Amino acid sequence: MEHLLRSIMLVDDSQDVRELARISLEQVGGFTVYICDSGESALKLAETVTPDLLLLDVMMPEMDGPELLQALKQRDNFAAVPVVFLTAIEDKSELEAFKPLGVVAVIGKPFNPVSLPDRIREVWQATQKN
C-alpha cells in the first residue's frame, strides 16, 4: 500500500526561502510543513516529529545540509525518509556527490513556488516505486 505524502520538514537558513516555500507547500500543495532555520533546530524538532520527506538547504552556517542529513539518518525513524536538497549549486559534479548521501532529488534555487508542490509530489512518487 502506498504511503501518502502529508508532511515535509523544510530546513533553510534564509527567512525568505522558508516563507516562500512554506506558503507554496501549505497553501498550494496542502502539506503540513515543519520549518527549521538551522541544522541544530532540525535535530531538536526531529526528537518529536518524523516527516514524510525532508527538504534541506545545502549551504547553511554551522551545520550544512549534508552534515544534517548524516545526523538525521543515524536515527531509526529517519532512516527511510526521502531527502531532497534545495540549492543554488549548479556544478554537476557537486550535485552528483549528493547521491551517495541518499538524496533522491535536487531542486534548484530560485525555485518556482507555483510548481514546487508538484515537483515534490513527482519526487515522492518516484521513491514509492521501490
Side-chain angles (χ1 to χ4, degrees), residues 44-92:
K44 205 165 278 172
L45 182 64
E47 294 171 13
T48 57
V49 169
T50 304
D52 297 317
L53 184 131
L54 290 164
L55 186 56
L56 307 179
D57 183 14
V58 172
M59 294 183 286
M60 296 184 288
E62 292 161 42
M63 182 184 295
D64 67 14
E67 290 168 335
L68 173 58
L69 173 56
Q70 288 178 320
L72 287 171
K73 288 294 185 176
Q74 290 174 2
R75 299 170 184 230
D76 290 341
N77 56 327
F78 276 83
V81 175
V83 180
V84 176
F85 273 167
L86 198 55
T87 183
I89 295 173
E90 292 182 23
D91 183 323
K92 293 279 186 234

Side-chain angles (χ1 to χ4, degrees), residues 103-117:
V103 175
V104 296
V106 176
I107 295 176
K109 289 182 188 177
F111 56 85
N112 179 335
V114 175
S115 62
L116 180 62

